[in-house]
C-alpha cells in the first residue's frame, strides 16, 4: 500500500524491496513481483556479461574449459588449468548476485560474508587438527600451534580513491596498503608483486583477503589480477590448502597442521571494467590459473542505470 500516487507511479506499483530475512536472493511471498523481477534481471545481466563482456561461465570439464578459454582470449592456458582447485575450473561469470547498494557498500558486504565463511572453515580446521593431535599424542596435548588467528587484515593494492578503503574499515577490518611500482620504460603504475609476497608472508593467517582493482585512472593501470590470483593460489596451497588429498589425510606431522583452512581470498574491484575487453580477458585468465573469490561490478557505470546497484560475480558457488 502506497499513499502517494506519484511514488506509486515512479516505482510501477512495486511497494516492497527484494530479499527475505536477511537473504537478498530469497523469494519474498509478500512481493512476488519484486522477487520475479530480481531473478529475471540477474539472468539477463549474467547473459550480458557472458555474451557481451566475454566473461566465461560454468565449465563442466577441463577440455571444455580450455576450448572456451581459447575462444575468449585467444591464448592457450591448458597447462595452467590444474593449478586451480578453488574455482573448480569455472569462469568469473559462473555465479552472480545483484545488490541494491553502491559499489563501496557491496565491497563491505562481500568482505563481511567472506569473513563469516573463513571463520567457519578455520573453525572446522582447528577442530580437525585438535582431534589429530589428540590421537597422535595424548601425553603432549598442545593445540596452540593449530589455532588459526583471527582474520582481520585486508591487503589492498593502492589506488588513490577512498571508496574501497572506507569499505574495508566499514567491515571492521584493518587495511594494509600495498605500494605500487612504476613501469621501467613508461609512466604506468601497477601492482608490486614483490610487496604482496612480503605482506603474505608477514601477516600470514591473519589475512582475510587481497583486493585488486581493474578500474583505475591514469597513470595507474589495472592490477595484474592474473598474476596476483596465481600468487595467492600458490601461497594457499603451501600454507592453508583446504583439500582432502591422501597426503593431508596420512601425514599428521606438524607441517600439515595448518593445511585445512579457508585460505586467503581474492576480491577484484571491477567497478566499471565490464566495458573493457582487455581487462575481462585478465579476469578469465585469473580464474583459470589462480584464486578469485568475488568480482564487484557497478550497475550504473556498466549498464547506464541510476546509481545504487552492484553485481557480484564469482566462479565459486560456495561464495
Amino acid at each position: 500500500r502506497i499513499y502517494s500516487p506519484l511514488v506509486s507511479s515512479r516505482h510501477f506499483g512495486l511497494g516492497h524491496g527484494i530479499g527475505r530475512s536477511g537473504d537478498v536472493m530469497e523469494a519474498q511471498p509478500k512481493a512476488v513481483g519484486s522477487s520475479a523481477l530480481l531473478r529475471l534481471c540477474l539472468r539477463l545481466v549474467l547473459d550480458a556479461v557472458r555474451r557481451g563482456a566475454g566473461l566465461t561461465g560454468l565449465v563442466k570439464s577441463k577440455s571444455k574449459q580450455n576450448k572456451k578459454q581459447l575462444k575468449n582470449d585467444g591464448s592457450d592456458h591448458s597447462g595452467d588449468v590444474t593449478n586451480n582447485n578453488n574455482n573448480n575450473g569455472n569462469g568469473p561469470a559462473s555465479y552472480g548476485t545483484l545488490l541494491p547498494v553502491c559499489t563501496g557498500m557491496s565491497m563491505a558486504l562481500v568482505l563481511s560474508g567472506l569473513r563469516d565463511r573463513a571463520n567457519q572453515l578455520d573453525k572446522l580446521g582447528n577442530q580437525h587438527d585438535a582431534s589429530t593431535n589428540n590421537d597422535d599424542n595424548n601425553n603432549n596435548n598442545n593445540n596452540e600451534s593449530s589455532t588459526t588467528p583471527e582474520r582481520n587484515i585486508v591487503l589492498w593494492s593502492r589506488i588513490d580513491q577512498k571508496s574501497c578503503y572506507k569499505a574495508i574499515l566499514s567491515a571492521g577490518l584493518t587495511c594494509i596498503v600495498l605500494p605500487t611500482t612504476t613501469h621501467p620504460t613508461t609512466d604506468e603504475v601497477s601492482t608490486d608483486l614483490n610487496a604482496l609476497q612480503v605482506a603474505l608472508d608477514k601477516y600470514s593467517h591473519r589475512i582475510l583477503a587481497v583486493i585488486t582493482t581493474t578500474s583505475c585512472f591514469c597513470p595507474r593501470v589495472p592490477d595484474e589480477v592474473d598474476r596476483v590470483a596465481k600468487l595467492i593460489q600458490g601461497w594457499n596451497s603451501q600454507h592453508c590448502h583446504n583439500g582432502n588429498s591422501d597426503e593431508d589425510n596420512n601425514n599428521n606431522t606438524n607441517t600439515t597442521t595448518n593445511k585445512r583452512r579457508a585460505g586467503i581470498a581474492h576480491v577484484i574491484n571491477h567497478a566499471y571494467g565490464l566495458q573493457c575487453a582487455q581487462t575481462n580477458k585478465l579476469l578469465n585468465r585469473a580464474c583459470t590459473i589462480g584464486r578469485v573469490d568475488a568480482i564487484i561490478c557497478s550497475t550504473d557505470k556498466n549498464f547506464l542505470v541510476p546509481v545504487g546497484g552492484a553485481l557480484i560475480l564469482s566462479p565459486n558457488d560456495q561464495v
Side-chain angles (χ1 to χ4, degrees), residues 154-155 178 196 200 207-212 228 232 264-267:
V154 174
L155 304 182
L178 299 178
L196 174 58
L200 290 174
I207 303 172
L208 171 67
V210 175
I211 297 179
T212 53
V228 172
I232 295 173
I264 297 173
H266 182 198
V267 180

Side-chain angles (χ1 to χ4, degrees), residues 32-101:
V32 178
S34 296
S35 299
L37 279 179
L38 172 62
R39 297 299 178 89
L40 175 61
C41 184
L42 178 58
R43 288 177 179 271
L44 290 173
V45 167
L46 287 177
D47 181 67
V49 299
R50 290 167 185 163
R51 294 200 294 162
L55 296 181
T56 55
L58 284 169
V59 177
K60 298 185 182 300
S61 67
K62 291 181 181 179
S63 60
K64 289 182 179 180
Q65 179 181 5
N66 294 339
K67 183 177 180 180
K68 197 161 189 177
Q69 185 68 26
L70 184 62
K71 177 181 178 182
N72 277 279
D73 62 11
S75 56
D76 184 8
H77 307 304
S78 57
D80 295 326
V81 173
T82 55
N83 293 338
N84 189 347
N85 296 320
N86 181 67
N87 302 333
N88 297 319
N90 294 330
S94 297
Y95 304 96
T97 299
L98 283 169
L99 297 178
V101 291

Side-chain angles (χ1 to χ4, degrees), residues 13 38 76 129 174 187 275 289 306:
L38 172 62
D76 184 8
D129 290 343
T174 300
D187 61 351
Q275 308 165 53
I289 68 172

Side-chain angles (χ1 to χ4, degrees), residues 84-120:
N84 189 347
N85 296 320
N86 181 67
N87 302 333
N88 297 319
N90 294 330
S94 297
Y95 304 96
T97 299
L98 283 169
L99 297 178
V101 291
C102 62
T103 311
M105 184 59 70
S106 297
M107 177 70 73
L109 292 174
V110 167
L111 291 174
S112 297
L114 290 174
R115 176 175 53 195
D116 292 342
R117 179 172 180 265
N119 288 339
Q120 293 175 3

Side-chain angles (χ1 to χ4, degrees), residues 8 48 65 71 74 78 83 89 142 189 207 213 230 241 305 307 312 319:
S8 179
Q65 179 181 5
K71 177 181 178 182
S78 57
N83 293 338
N142 181 13
V189 178
I207 303 172
T213 307
K230 189 171 185 178
H241 180 54
V305 296
V307 175
I312 314 299
V319 175

Side-chain angles (χ1 to χ4, degrees), residues 65-317:
Q65 179 181 5
N66 294 339
K67 183 177 180 180
K68 197 161 189 177
Q69 185 68 26
L70 184 62
K71 177 181 178 182
N72 277 279
D73 62 11
S75 56
D76 184 8
H77 307 304
S78 57
D80 295 326
V81 173
T82 55
N83 293 338
N84 189 347
N85 296 320
N86 181 67
N87 302 333
N88 297 319
N90 294 330
S94 297
Y95 304 96
T97 299
L98 283 169
L99 297 178
V101 291
C102 62
T103 311
M105 184 59 70
S106 297
M107 177 70 73
L109 292 174
V110 167
L111 291 174
S112 297
L114 290 174
R115 176 175 53 195
D116 292 342
R117 179 172 180 265
N119 288 339
Q120 293 175 3
L121 292 175
D122 286 341
K123 182 179 179 180
L124 292 175
N126 290 335
Q127 292 173 350
H128 173 271
D129 290 343
S131 175
T132 302
N133 289 339
N134 286 334
D135 292 340
D136 288 349
N137 192 356
N138 291 324
N139 296 325
N140 183 21
N141 186 14
N142 181 13
N143 297 328
E144 182 178 354
S145 62
S146 67
T147 301
T148 304
E150 179 185 3
R151 295 185 183 273
N152 58 0
I153 289 178
V154 174
L155 304 182
W156 177 47
S157 183
R158 174 179 171 177
I159 60 169
D160 291 336
Q161 206 269 353
K162 295 180 180 179
S163 180
C164 191
Y165 178 75
K166 291 180 178 179
I168 297 171
L169 300 184
S170 298
L173 299 166
T174 300
C175 180
I176 302 297
V177 182
L178 299 178
T180 51
T181 183
T182 306
H183 193 278
T185 59
T186 68
D187 61 351
E188 293 181 347
V189 178
S190 187
T191 322
D192 191 336
L193 294 173
N194 292 329
L196 174 58
Q197 182 65 68
V198 170
L200 290 174
D201 294 334
K202 178 179 180 180
Y203 298 103
S204 187
H205 297 285
R206 293 178 58 198
I207 303 172
L208 171 67
V210 175
I211 297 179
T212 53
T213 307
T214 61
S215 305
C216 314
F217 296 103
C218 293
R220 184 69 158 84
V221 297
D223 280 312
E224 299 175 65
V225 294
D226 52 342
R227 299 180 66 182
V228 172
K230 189 171 185 178
L231 182 61
I232 295 173
Q233 180 71 15
W235 196 94
N236 285 337
S237 298
Q238 182 179 357
H239 297 87
C240 346
H241 180 54
N242 203 25
N244 297 306
S245 65
D246 293 336
E247 180 182 357
D248 288 337
N249 292 330
N250 297 329
N251 186 357
N252 293 324
T253 61
N254 289 334
T255 58
T256 60
T257 7
N258 288 321
K259 287 298 182 71
R260 293 175 179 272
R261 295 293 181 269
I264 297 173
H266 182 198
V267 180
I268 300 177
N269 182 359
H270 196 52
Y272 41 94
L274 289 178
Q275 308 165 53
C276 181
Q278 198 65 30
T279 54
N280 291 333
K281 291 177 184 178
L282 278 179
L283 295 187
N284 286 334
R285 176 166 165 77
C287 291
T288 302
I289 68 172
R291 174 152 180 168
V292 176
D293 291 81
I295 301 163
I296 301 174
C297 311
S298 170
T299 55
D300 60 277
K301 298 178 182 70
N302 293 291
F303 294 97
L304 302 182
V305 296
V307 175
L311 170 66
I312 314 299
L313 299 172
S314 178
N316 191 335
D317 62 334

